[in-house]
Amino acid sequence: MSPSAETALFALTEDQRDIRAAVREIAEAEIAPHAADVDERERYPVEAEKALVSTGFNAVHIPEEYGGAGADAVTTVIVIEEVARVCGSSSLIPAVNKLGSMPIILSASEELKAQVLPSIASGEATISYALSEREAGSDAVSMRTRAVRDGDDWVLNGTKAWITNAGVSRWYTVMAVTDPDAAKPAQGISAFVVHADDPGFEVGPKERKLGIKGSPTREIHLQQCRIPGDRIIGEPGTGFRTALATLDHTRPTIGAQAVGLAQGALDVAVAYVKERKQFGRHLAEFQGLQFMIADMAMAVEASRTLVYQAAAATERGDANATFLASAAKTLASDTAMKVTTDAVQLLGGAGYTRDYPVERMMRDAKITQIYEGTNQVQRLVMARALLR
Ligand SMILES: Cc1cc2nc3c(=O)[nH]c(=O)nc-3n(C[C@H](O)[C@H](O)[C@H](O)COP(=O)(O)OP(=O)(O)OC[C@H]3O[C@@H](n4cnc5c(N)ncnc54)[C@H](O)[C@@H]3O)c2cc1C
């Protein structure tokens, strides 16, 4: 039955459903088989990268005029969700490509877009996003990295921390202070595009993490790092605004990662309780466990709906997009933490071992409550929007 005009609001388009099916097939055939090894050996998911690039799912959001598929925000979150359903680390390939490139898509000159975006669309390069510093996390505006004009160039100095996929990425969107005397510190920050081959650019050692172990997280060190003048994104002083506008577009992608992780754990748990017997009966026959599974599925579905709604709102530029993006990321990540933990519980001792993927999904879920702004910060953002 095709949806009527009234109910179409809550249905995916045929294209979006086809894309979900295509990504699921690739994820199950080419990404899932390597997920445990990627986690165990803390190695970059090269098989996933190859599979995503060869099928064009590595950065579907890049507009067509720069060689991309020009996918809408809902389609992009579906891609990320389906990859996360089998491997959280691999889902950071499309997610961080969107995070790193969104400042450029939103605010860069045509020349800079043409210089950077085609290489990301083709999969020749990936791009990371560098806002945080050791002493400037939730309070990102207190960053110390500096950029100064020198002739036609910009020279950057400082250290950015916690940069996802650093070392693998060729491009980095970097926020730095250009006017330390600005009346409002946020208005003294600018955004730049740095290339891994730029002089004075280096990455630090990999962080040793609880989860998403296949996605390297490193510091980036900028020491007299000289870049051409045209690598500034937009006007000087607009970098922090661009950084925040980017997060409105990408917090739903973290929500999608969380939904995917939760769905993956739920699917494993449902299959397990149908097979495993105790007291002469399948676990699935115990009402106490049926209620757990119903609650898990209900929370996943609610999160998915809010994530898609937030993605659509950012695409349309709705006035409440900031609120929805924070709400979707928070609800979905809190749900992912609870659902993956409950999935471990449903598998009992087996769930606690690496023989099943649910313990990995539980470890991977935790980061979705922390990055792109902790869930405490999301609640501040939501309250600010409500109390304005
Ligand atoms: C694996 C990983 C990958 C990351 N990837 C990136 C990346 O690619 N690019 C990037 O720029 N950054 C990245 N980050 C950084 C991430 O966004 C920050 O860690 C996060 O914003 C929190 O900052 P912090 O770690 O300094 O914590 P802090 O800001 O020190 O916060 C510590 C605790 O205090 C709470 N808190 C802080 N301020 C308040 C307040 N006003 N009210 C209530 N509670 C508050 C926080 O919620 C948290 O619970 C990554 C981090 C990790 C761990």
Side-chain angles (χ1 to χ4, degrees):
M1 203 171 80
S2 64
S4 67
E6 291 75 22
T7 62
L9 179 63
F10 295 104
L12 298 180
T13 64
E14 201 178 330
D15 273 357
Q16 288 165 339
R17 291 198 302 270
D18 288 349
I19 285 175
R20 181 196 292 288
V23 181
R24 182 165 292 202
E25 199 179 319
I26 293 156
E28 286 185 347
E30 316 215 17
I31 300 176
H34 307 285
D37 185 63
V38 159
D39 175 66
E40 185 82 33
R41 292 168 51 202
E42 307 200 8
R43 64 171 182 84
Y44 190 68
V46 283
E47 299 87 353
E49 183 173 57
K50 196 169 154 223
L52 291 169
V53 169
S54 66
T55 49
F57 289 127
N58 55 308
V60 288
H61 68 287
I62 303 274
E64 284 173 359
E65 56 264 48
Y66 307 106
D72 64 276
V74 176
T75 302
T76 305
V77 294
I78 290 170
V79 171
I80 294 164
E81 175 191 337
E82 285 301 326
V83 177
R85 185 174 153 273
V86 301
C87 179
S89 293
S90 300
S91 70
L92 282 163
I93 296 172
V96 175
N97 271 338
K98 178 153 181 176
L99 176 64
S101 63
M102 213 56 214
I104 300 170
I105 292 170
L106 289 174
S107 309
S109 66
E110 271 312 309
E111 293 72 25
L112 190 51
K113 287 180 184 174
Q115 197 182 336
V116 180
L117 298 178
S119 64
I120 297 159
S122 71
E124 181 193 325
T126 57
I127 182 162
S128 292
Y129 174 91
L131 175 67
S132 306
E133 298 180 4
R134 286 283 161 196
E135 301 306 323
S138 299
D139 182 17
V141 88
S142 66
M143 68 179 66
R144 299 220 191 102
T145 297
R146 288 288 161 88
V148 293
R149 265 278 189 199
D150 186 29
D152 287 342
D153 300 338
W154 288 96
V155 176
L156 281 73
N157 277 289
T159 295
K160 293 301 203 179
W162 310 113
I163 308 310
T164 298
N165 290 353
V168 173
S169 288
R170 303 302 289 156
W171 296 106
Y172 296 80
T173 294
V174 177
M175 272 50 79
V177 176
T178 44
D179 181 4
D181 302 321
K184 289 189 177 163
Q187 292 170 357
I189 293 171
S190 305
F192 300 90
V193 180
V194 176
H195 191 270
D197 291 341
D198 287 330
F201 175 92
E202 266 184 18
V203 297
K206 277 203 292 190
E207 302 290 345
R208 296 155 62 236
K209 307 196 298 284
L210 173 73
I212 55 161
K213 292 180 183 231
S215 164
T217 311
R218 302 171 190 265
E219 285 186 344
I220 63 171
H221 304 295
L222 305 155
Q223 278 180 322
Q224 290 296 104
C225 178
R226 182 174 288 275
I227 61 171
D230 62 3
R231 293 248 216 95
I232 187 167
I233 299 176
E235 294 298 314
T238 61
F240 200 70
R241 211 187 317 144
T242 298
L244 293 191
T246 293
L247 296 175
D248 285 351
H249 287 267
T250 57
R251 284 174 176 156
T253 70
I254 301 305
Q257 185 185 32
V259 169
L261 285 163
Q263 185 68 56
L266 177 61
D267 291 349
V268 173
V270 165
Y272 188 85
V273 298
K274 289 204 278 194
E275 286 295 319
R276 168 90 173 156
K277 279 187 171 172
Q278 285 294 280
F279 302 98
R281 296 160 73 187
H282 286 113
L283 297 183
E285 292 175 56
F286 298 122
Q287 197 180 47
L289 303 190
Q290 291 175 358
F291 283 6
M292 271 178 83
I293 285 175
D295 282 346
M296 289 157 79
M298 175 173 68
V300 173
E301 210 51 61
S303 301
R304 178 179 290 119
T305 302
L306 191 55
V307 166
Y308 292 1
Q309 199 196 337
T314 60
E315 178 89 26
R316 291 190 300 257
D318 285 3
N320 65 344
T322 299
F323 170 84
L324 286 174
S326 284
K329 190 257 187 200
T330 305
L331 179 71
S333 59
D334 287 352
T335 295
M337 202 60 242
K338 169 127 184 41
V339 167
T340 54
T341 306
D342 285 349
V344 171
Q345 191 71 18
L346 285 168
L347 270 71
Y352 200 69
T353 70
R354 294 190 193 177
D355 297 340
Y356 287 88
V358 286
E359 63 82 33
R360 184 186 79 238
M361 291 163 169
M362 178 180 150
R363 286 184 287 105
D364 286 353
K366 185 62 204 170
I367 192 60
T368 63
Q369 296 179 306
I370 296 174
Y371 58 16
E372 294 206 22
T374 65
N375 283 2
Q376 284 75 28
V377 166
Q378 304 307 324
R379 288 177 167 94
L380 293 178
V381 172
M382 285 187 265
R384 203 179 300 139
L386 292 168
L387 301 172
R388 201 166 34 211

mmCIF file of all heavy atoms in Angstrom, residues 99 129-134 136-139 161-164 209 212 217 367 370-377 380, ligand 1:
data_model
loop_
_atom_site.group_PDB
_atom_site.id
_atom_site.type_symbol
_atom_site.label_atom_id
_atom_site.label_comp_id
_atom_site.label_asym_id
_atom_site.label_seq_id
_atom_site.Cartn_x
_atom_site.Cartn_y
_atom_site.Cartn_z
ATOM 1 N N LEU A 99 30.845 15.790 9.010
ATOM 2 C CA LEU A 99 31.243 16.755 10.045
ATOM 3 C C LEU A 99 32.364 17.677 9.545
ATOM 4 O O LEU A 99 32.307 18.899 9.710
ATOM 5 C CB LEU A 99 31.698 15.983 11.294
ATOM 6 C CG LEU A 99 32.245 16.780 12.469
ATOM 7 C CD1 LEU A 99 31.181 17.676 13.067
ATOM 8 C CD2 LEU A 99 32.793 15.831 13.551
ATOM 9 N N TYR A 129 37.318 17.160 11.631
ATOM 10 C CA TYR A 129 36.802 18.421 12.170
ATOM 11 C C TYR A 129 37.537 18.701 13.472
ATOM 12 O O TYR A 129 37.512 17.865 14.387
ATOM 13 C CB TYR A 129 35.311 18.235 12.414
ATOM 14 C CG TYR A 129 34.544 19.333 13.097
ATOM 15 C CD1 TYR A 129 33.923 20.335 12.354
ATOM 16 C CD2 TYR A 129 34.345 19.318 14.480
ATOM 17 C CE1 TYR A 129 33.144 21.305 12.980
ATOM 18 C CE2 TYR A 129 33.570 20.293 15.105
ATOM 19 C CZ TYR A 129 32.967 21.282 14.342
ATOM 20 O OH TYR A 129 32.185 22.227 14.956
ATOM 21 N N ALA A 130 38.204 19.829 13.556
ATOM 22 C CA ALA A 130 39.055 20.101 14.715
ATOM 23 C C ALA A 130 38.620 21.368 15.437
ATOM 24 O O ALA A 130 39.074 22.473 15.123
ATOM 25 C CB ALA A 130 40.514 20.206 14.267
ATOM 26 N N LEU A 131 37.733 21.169 16.421
ATOM 27 C CA LEU A 131 37.252 22.276 17.251
ATOM 28 C C LEU A 131 37.863 22.180 18.652
ATOM 29 O O LEU A 131 38.391 23.143 19.187
ATOM 30 C CB LEU A 131 35.713 22.221 17.340
ATOM 31 C CG LEU A 131 35.027 23.222 18.259
ATOM 32 C CD1 LEU A 131 35.196 24.657 17.735
ATOM 33 C CD2 LEU A 131 33.523 22.909 18.400
ATOM 34 N N SER A 132 37.824 20.964 19.255
ATOM 35 C CA SER A 132 38.178 20.791 20.666
ATOM 36 C C SER A 132 39.676 20.944 20.934
ATOM 37 O O SER A 132 40.504 20.683 20.067
ATOM 38 C CB SER A 132 37.771 19.399 21.143
ATOM 39 O OG SER A 132 36.415 19.151 20.886
ATOM 40 N N GLU A 133 39.963 21.362 22.168
ATOM 41 C CA GLU A 133 41.338 21.353 22.677
ATOM 42 C C GLU A 133 41.297 20.731 24.066
ATOM 43 O O GLU A 133 40.222 20.589 24.646
ATOM 44 C CB GLU A 133 41.899 22.786 22.732
ATOM 45 C CG GLU A 133 41.967 23.429 21.349
ATOM 46 C CD GLU A 133 42.519 24.845 21.358
ATOM 47 O OE1 GLU A 133 42.936 25.326 22.444
ATOM 48 O OE2 GLU A 133 42.530 25.463 20.285
ATOM 49 N N ARG A 134 42.478 20.377 24.619
ATOM 50 C CA ARG A 134 42.498 19.757 25.957
ATOM 51 C C ARG A 134 41.765 20.613 26.973
ATOM 52 O O ARG A 134 41.004 20.120 27.782
ATOM 53 C CB ARG A 134 43.936 19.573 26.453
ATOM 54 C CG ARG A 134 44.709 18.470 25.810
ATOM 55 C CD ARG A 134 44.350 17.083 26.310
ATOM 56 N NE ARG A 134 44.839 16.173 25.268
ATOM 57 C CZ ARG A 134 44.494 14.911 25.135
ATOM 58 N NH1 ARG A 134 43.664 14.337 25.989
ATOM 59 N NH2 ARG A 134 44.956 14.195 24.153
ATOM 60 N N ALA A 136 39.746 23.154 26.273
ATOM 61 C CA ALA A 136 38.556 23.794 25.690
ATOM 62 C C ALA A 136 37.694 22.713 25.052
ATOM 63 O O ALA A 136 37.757 22.481 23.844
ATOM 64 C CB ALA A 136 38.962 24.856 24.665
ATOM 65 N N GLY A 137 36.904 22.018 25.908
ATOM 66 C CA GLY A 137 36.028 20.949 25.432
ATOM 67 C C GLY A 137 34.609 21.477 25.324
ATOM 68 O O GLY A 137 34.233 22.067 24.306
ATOM 69 N N SER A 138 33.837 21.322 26.401
ATOM 70 C CA SER A 138 32.473 21.889 26.400
ATOM 71 C C SER A 138 32.548 23.408 26.199
ATOM 72 O O SER A 138 31.713 23.996 25.523
ATOM 73 C CB SER A 138 31.771 21.577 27.724
ATOM 74 O OG SER A 138 31.668 20.182 27.900
ATOM 75 N N ASP A 139 33.577 24.009 26.774
ATOM 76 C CA ASP A 139 33.781 25.463 26.638
ATOM 77 C C ASP A 139 34.709 25.716 25.443
ATOM 78 O O ASP A 139 35.800 26.261 25.580
ATOM 79 C CB ASP A 139 34.407 25.976 27.951
ATOM 80 C CG ASP A 139 34.621 27.475 27.941
ATOM 81 O OD1 ASP A 139 34.020 28.167 27.095
ATOM 82 O OD2 ASP A 139 35.402 27.945 28.792
ATOM 83 N N ALA A 161 42.663 18.755 20.149
ATOM 84 C CA ALA A 161 42.637 17.440 20.799
ATOM 85 C C ALA A 161 41.418 16.635 20.367
ATOM 86 O O ALA A 161 40.428 17.210 19.909
ATOM 87 C CB ALA A 161 42.609 17.626 22.316
ATOM 88 N N TRP A 162 41.531 15.311 20.502
ATOM 89 C CA TRP A 162 40.396 14.395 20.297
ATOM 90 C C TRP A 162 39.905 14.374 18.860
ATOM 91 O O TRP A 162 38.704 14.284 18.620
ATOM 92 C CB TRP A 162 39.199 14.785 21.176
ATOM 93 C CG TRP A 162 39.451 14.999 22.607
ATOM 94 C CD1 TRP A 162 39.371 16.163 23.280
ATOM 95 C CD2 TRP A 162 39.795 13.998 23.590
ATOM 96 N NE1 TRP A 162 39.649 15.971 24.615
ATOM 97 C CE2 TRP A 162 39.909 14.645 24.819
ATOM 98 C CE3 TRP A 162 40.026 12.615 23.512
ATOM 99 C CZ2 TRP A 162 40.243 13.978 25.995
ATOM 100 C CZ3 TRP A 162 40.354 11.955 24.679
ATOM 101 C CH2 TRP A 162 40.450 12.639 25.891
ATOM 102 N N ILE A 163 40.782 14.473 17.896
ATOM 103 C CA ILE A 163 40.291 14.626 16.526
ATOM 104 C C ILE A 163 40.065 13.254 15.875
ATOM 105 O O ILE A 163 41.005 12.482 15.641
ATOM 106 C CB ILE A 163 41.266 15.501 15.685
ATOM 107 C CG1 ILE A 163 41.552 16.818 16.432
ATOM 108 C CG2 ILE A 163 40.685 15.749 14.292
ATOM 109 C CD1 ILE A 163 40.338 17.580 16.925
ATOM 110 N N THR A 164 38.791 12.992 15.597
ATOM 111 C CA THR A 164 38.393 11.701 15.031
ATOM 112 C C THR A 164 38.981 11.520 13.636
ATOM 113 O O THR A 164 38.900 12.413 12.796
ATOM 114 C CB THR A 164 36.846 11.601 14.976
ATOM 115 O OG1 THR A 164 36.349 11.684 16.304
ATOM 116 C CG2 THR A 164 36.403 10.291 14.335
ATOM 117 N N LYS A 209 41.249 3.966 23.823
ATOM 118 C CA LYS A 209 39.858 4.249 24.147
ATOM 119 C C LYS A 209 39.049 3.020 24.586
ATOM 120 O O LYS A 209 39.428 1.881 24.356
ATOM 121 C CB LYS A 209 39.171 4.864 22.913
ATOM 122 C CG LYS A 209 39.886 6.079 22.318
ATOM 123 C CD LYS A 209 38.986 6.840 21.378
ATOM 124 C CE LYS A 209 38.529 6.031 20.188
ATOM 125 N NZ LYS A 209 39.551 5.859 19.157
ATOM 126 N N ILE A 212 34.784 2.491 19.930
ATOM 127 C CA ILE A 212 35.126 2.949 18.563
ATOM 128 C C ILE A 212 36.638 2.851 18.324
ATOM 129 O O ILE A 212 37.275 3.775 17.826
ATOM 130 C CB ILE A 212 34.544 4.350 18.222
ATOM 131 C CG1 ILE A 212 34.956 5.419 19.224
ATOM 132 C CG2 ILE A 212 33.047 4.301 18.043
ATOM 133 C CD1 ILE A 212 34.791 6.852 18.671
ATOM 134 N N THR A 217 41.705 8.373 17.181
ATOM 135 C CA THR A 217 41.462 9.697 17.765
ATOM 136 C C THR A 217 42.830 10.224 18.181
ATOM 137 O O THR A 217 43.547 9.554 18.935
ATOM 138 C CB THR A 217 40.560 9.577 19.023
ATOM 139 O OG1 THR A 217 39.430 8.766 18.720
ATOM 140 C CG2 THR A 217 40.108 10.938 19.505
ATOM 141 N N ILE A 367 30.347 6.619 23.545
ATOM 142 C CA ILE A 367 30.883 7.878 22.999
ATOM 143 C C ILE A 367 29.780 8.774 22.440
ATOM 144 O O ILE A 367 29.914 9.995 22.399
ATOM 145 C CB ILE A 367 31.970 7.604 21.921
ATOM 146 C CG1 ILE A 367 32.735 8.890 21.570
ATOM 147 C CG2 ILE A 367 31.376 6.980 20.663
ATOM 148 C CD1 ILE A 367 33.455 9.528 22.702
ATOM 149 N N ILE A 370 28.897 11.566 24.470
ATOM 150 C CA ILE A 370 29.977 12.505 24.811
ATOM 151 C C ILE A 370 30.346 13.438 23.656
ATOM 152 O O ILE A 370 30.441 14.651 23.840
ATOM 153 C CB ILE A 370 31.233 11.720 25.287
ATOM 154 C CG1 ILE A 370 30.916 10.967 26.578
ATOM 155 C CG2 ILE A 370 32.432 12.651 25.471
ATOM 156 C CD1 ILE A 370 32.026 10.038 27.073
ATOM 157 N N TYR A 371 30.579 12.863 22.450
ATOM 158 C CA TYR A 371 31.147 13.775 21.420
ATOM 159 C C TYR A 371 30.077 14.567 20.677
ATOM 160 O O TYR A 371 28.905 14.327 20.813
ATOM 161 C CB TYR A 371 32.157 13.111 20.507
ATOM 162 C CG TYR A 371 31.806 11.904 19.683
ATOM 163 C CD1 TYR A 371 30.514 11.485 19.439
ATOM 164 C CD2 TYR A 371 32.853 11.163 19.109
ATOM 165 C CE1 TYR A 371 30.260 10.369 18.663
ATOM 166 C CE2 TYR A 371 32.602 10.045 18.332
ATOM 167 C CZ TYR A 371 31.294 9.657 18.113
ATOM 168 O OH TYR A 371 31.048 8.574 17.337
ATOM 169 N N GLU A 372 30.571 15.563 19.956
ATOM 170 C CA GLU A 372 29.726 16.622 19.351
ATOM 171 C C GLU A 372 28.887 17.322 20.430
ATOM 172 O O GLU A 372 27.754 17.724 20.199
ATOM 173 C CB GLU A 372 28.875 16.078 18.208
ATOM 174 C CG GLU A 372 29.767 15.644 17.055
ATOM 175 C CD GLU A 372 29.115 15.680 15.698
ATOM 176 O OE1 GLU A 372 28.114 16.410 15.518
ATOM 177 O OE2 GLU A 372 29.621 15.002 14.807
ATOM 178 N N GLY A 373 29.489 17.474 21.609
ATOM 179 C CA GLY A 373 28.823 18.084 22.745
ATOM 180 C C GLY A 373 28.226 17.007 23.623
ATOM 181 O O GLY A 373 27.464 16.166 23.152
ATOM 182 N N THR A 374 28.610 17.013 24.918
ATOM 183 C CA THR A 374 28.078 15.988 25.831
ATOM 184 C C THR A 374 26.556 16.167 25.956
ATOM 185 O O THR A 374 26.011 17.222 25.610
ATOM 186 C CB THR A 374 28.696 16.127 27.236
ATOM 187 O OG1 THR A 374 28.262 17.379 27.784
ATOM 188 C CG2 THR A 374 30.208 16.066 27.201
ATOM 189 N N ASN A 375 25.912 15.144 26.510
ATOM 190 C CA ASN A 375 24.454 15.261 26.643
ATOM 191 C C ASN A 375 24.037 16.303 27.671
ATOM 192 O O ASN A 375 22.921 16.814 27.620
ATOM 193 C CB ASN A 375 23.834 13.889 26.930
ATOM 194 C CG ASN A 375 23.775 13.057 25.652
ATOM 195 O OD1 ASN A 375 24.228 13.495 24.591
ATOM 196 N ND2 ASN A 375 23.205 11.870 25.745
ATOM 197 N N GLN A 376 24.975 16.663 28.583
ATOM 198 C CA GLN A 376 24.674 17.798 29.471
ATOM 199 C C GLN A 376 24.642 19.081 28.628
ATOM 200 O O GLN A 376 23.743 19.915 28.774
ATOM 201 C CB GLN A 376 25.737 17.930 30.576
ATOM 202 C CG GLN A 376 25.636 16.912 31.703
ATOM 203 C CD GLN A 376 26.120 15.521 31.289
ATOM 204 O OE1 GLN A 376 26.971 15.380 30.413
ATOM 205 N NE2 GLN A 376 25.577 14.503 31.913
ATOM 206 N N VAL A 377 25.623 19.215 27.752
ATOM 207 C CA VAL A 377 25.663 20.410 26.890
ATOM 208 C C VAL A 377 24.432 20.439 25.970
ATOM 209 O O VAL A 377 23.842 21.500 25.734
ATOM 210 C CB VAL A 377 26.996 20.465 26.103
ATOM 211 C CG1 VAL A 377 26.937 21.481 24.973
ATOM 212 C CG2 VAL A 377 28.140 20.800 27.067
ATOM 213 N N LEU A 380 21.690 21.923 27.780
ATOM 214 C CA LEU A 380 21.835 23.388 27.864
ATOM 215 C C LEU A 380 21.340 24.031 26.572
ATOM 216 O O LEU A 380 20.644 25.049 26.587
ATOM 217 C CB LEU A 380 23.304 23.778 28.078
ATOM 218 C CG LEU A 380 23.974 23.412 29.399
ATOM 219 C CD1 LEU A 380 25.446 23.843 29.390
ATOM 220 C CD2 LEU A 380 23.255 24.093 30.558
HETATM 221 C C1 LIG B 1 36.565 9.541 20.949
HETATM 222 C C2 LIG B 1 36.373 11.020 20.845
HETATM 223 C C3 LIG B 1 36.293 11.612 19.598
HETATM 224 C C4 LIG B 1 36.133 12.992 19.477
HETATM 225 N N1 LIG B 1 36.133 13.566 18.235
HETATM 226 C C5 LIG B 1 36.201 14.917 18.122
HETATM 227 C C6 LIG B 1 36.421 15.537 16.847
HETATM 228 O O1 LIG B 1 36.498 14.863 15.806
HETATM 229 N N2 LIG B 1 36.550 16.879 16.798
HETATM 230 C C7 LIG B 1 36.463 17.660 17.900
HETATM 231 O O2 LIG B 1 36.597 18.873 17.774
HETATM 232 N N3 LIG B 1 36.262 17.109 19.127
HETATM 233 C C8 LIG B 1 36.123 15.768 19.260
HETATM 234 N N4 LIG B 1 35.945 15.185 20.495
HETATM 235 C C9 LIG B 1 35.871 16.033 21.684
HETATM 236 C C10 LIG B 1 34.492 16.025 22.344
HETATM 237 O O3 LIG B 1 33.589 16.756 21.585
HETATM 238 C C11 LIG B 1 34.692 16.543 23.783
HETATM 239 O O4 LIG B 1 35.339 15.511 24.505
HETATM 240 C C12 LIG B 1 33.390 16.926 24.433
HETATM 241 O O5 LIG B 1 32.847 18.076 23.822
HETATM 242 C C13 LIG B 1 33.550 17.181 25.943
HETATM 243 O O6 LIG B 1 34.645 17.985 26.236
HETATM 244 P P1 LIG B 1 35.696 17.526 27.366
HETATM 245 O O7 LIG B 1 36.119 16.150 27.025
HETATM 246 O O8 LIG B 1 36.716 18.569 27.502
HETATM 247 O O9 LIG B 1 34.822 17.430 28.686
HETATM 248 P P2 LIG B 1 34.527 18.607 29.697
HETATM 249 O O10 LIG B 1 34.040 19.808 28.960
HETATM 250 O O11 LIG B 1 35.681 18.767 30.622
HETATM 251 O O12 LIG B 1 33.304 18.006 30.512
HETATM 252 C C14 LIG B 1 33.454 17.096 31.617
HETATM 253 C C15 LIG B 1 32.062 16.843 32.216
HETATM 254 O O13 LIG B 1 31.499 18.080 32.692
HETATM 255 C C16 LIG B 1 30.228 18.309 32.060
HETATM 256 N N5 LIG B 1 30.059 19.753 31.851
HETATM 257 C C17 LIG B 1 30.921 20.629 31.287
HETATM 258 N N6 LIG B 1 30.398 21.865 31.251
HETATM 259 C C18 LIG B 1 29.164 21.760 31.815
HETATM 260 C C19 LIG B 1 28.105 22.710 32.082
HETATM 261 N N7 LIG B 1 28.198 24.000 31.725
HETATM 262 N N8 LIG B 1 26.986 22.239 32.670
HETATM 263 C C20 LIG B 1 26.844 20.936 32.997
HETATM 264 N N9 LIG B 1 27.804 20.006 32.771
HETATM 265 C C21 LIG B 1 28.936 20.419 32.189
HETATM 266 C C22 LIG B 1 30.280 17.523 30.764
HETATM 267 O O14 LIG B 1 28.987 17.202 30.300
HETATM 268 C C23 LIG B 1 31.063 16.294 31.183
HETATM 269 O O15 LIG B 1 30.195 15.380 31.796
HETATM 270 C C24 LIG B 1 36.041 13.790 20.642
HETATM 271 C C25 LIG B 1 36.104 13.184 21.892
HETATM 272 C C26 LIG B 1 36.283 11.824 22.009
HETATM 273 C C27 LIG B 1 36.392 11.211 23.390
#
